[in-house]
Amino acid sequence: IELIVPTVPHLLAQVTQATSAWPVRPRIVVEQAEKQAALRIARAALAKSGTTTLELAVAGVPMVAAYSASKGGMDALTRCVAMDYAQQKIRCNSVCPGLVDTPMASGLINNPEALAQIMTAYPLGRPGTSEEVAKLILYLASDESSWVTGSIFPIDGGMTAH
């Protein structure tokens, strides 16, 4: 199993921590150019692959237009790679976590006023955990998801359901 993690430090830490208990240790690939990494994985004919993007691709956030556009591009790339390599039985899906309780988010999570304001956008009313994100990634990397490709999976406590 090979997982692509964009160059966002908290995501690398989150994925590393969350996959530490997996029965099969994935190879975690950190790439500046996610497109090149996705194509490299596809060319290697892996049975499963995945990318991680943030929810900014599916929910507009003020003052981060370029970053949001890059995440939207990753979602489009996920769908294109899925189509391009489906005949080779290579699947590509994207996981889009919302606010997850990680060391990088600790400043926000440990600030009750700021956290309360942010949580108004999350119908489930709490940050996610690394374990919750890891379980979704594990599902996508397993044979249980053998008919899943080209899909974008927000895991964000309902934030993008608005």
Side-chain angles (χ1 to χ4, degrees), residues 50-115:
T51 61
T52 304
T53 62
L54 297 177
E55 63 192 5
L56 297 177
V58 292
V61 177
M63 307 304 294
V64 290
Y67 187 71
S68 295
S70 73
K71 296 307 167 188
M74 284 302 300
D75 287 353
L77 177 65
T78 296
R79 291 182 183 101
C80 290
V81 169
M83 294 297 296
D84 290 347
Y85 293 96
Q87 293 300 310
Q88 290 94 345
K89 307 290 188 252
I90 297 170
R91 298 181 293 118
C92 186
N93 296 290
S94 181
V95 175
C96 308
L99 179 63
V100 176
D101 190 352
T102 62
M104 185 172 178
S106 65
L108 176 61
I109 290 173
N110 294 327
N111 180 333
E113 295 86 25
L115 183 61

Side-chain angles (χ1 to χ4, degrees), residues 8 21 32 57 111:
V8 178
Q32 294 265 349
N111 180 333

Side-chain angles (χ1 to χ4, degrees), residues 25-48:
R25 295 284 296 175
R27 180 168 169 251
I28 298 174
V29 178
V30 180
E31 294 281 344
Q32 294 265 349
E34 287 89 353
K35 178 178 180 181
Q36 291 174 350
L39 293 174
R40 183 178 54 74
I41 283 180
R43 287 187 194 109
L46 291 173
K48 293 122 185 143

